[in-house]
Amino acid sequence: MEIREVFARNLRRCRHAKGLSQEALAHDAEVDRTYVSALERGVYAATIDMVGKLADVLGVEPDELLRRASRPIRGKR
């Protein structure tokens, strides 16, 4: 999975966990709602500054928006 897709999934997950609509997140981050929608669909790639701003609004560390899902290491249990 590409990092843009990882970011899109994590952004949507964190937004839902916070109980925010795309519009509310966009308002708090001072961006357009269509931009948030495009980020969540992987249409646009966010700048590092925007990752930080969205993380602040969502109350998470920026790395949480970029973290890939953990996968077991092959050959180890």
Side-chain angles (χ1 to χ4, degrees):
M1 182 179 308
E2 291 187 27
I3 193 68
R4 192 182 296 192
E5 294 172 79
V6 170
F7 176 76
R9 274 191 190 174
N10 290 338
L11 178 61
R12 183 178 298 111
R13 179 184 50 78
C14 289
R15 179 177 61 77
H16 285 169
K18 190 81 169 174
L20 293 174
S21 66
Q22 287 181 346
E23 188 169 352
L25 175 59
H27 180 267
D28 291 350
E30 301 176 335
V31 297
D32 195 87
R33 185 209 54 83
T34 59
Y35 181 66
V36 172
S37 173
L39 289 174
E40 288 188 356
R41 289 180 289 123
V43 175
Y44 294 149
T47 65
I48 196 70
D49 291 331
M50 183 53 60
V51 172
K53 190 172 198 176
L54 291 167
D56 284 344
V57 170
L58 293 167
V60 299
E61 291 298 320
D63 70 307
E64 188 169 335
L65 295 176
L66 300 171
R67 190 174 304 134
R68 296 179 193 274
S70 297
R71 288 184 270 181
I73 299 171
R74 291 183 182 180
K76 295 194 178 189
R77 293 181 188 213

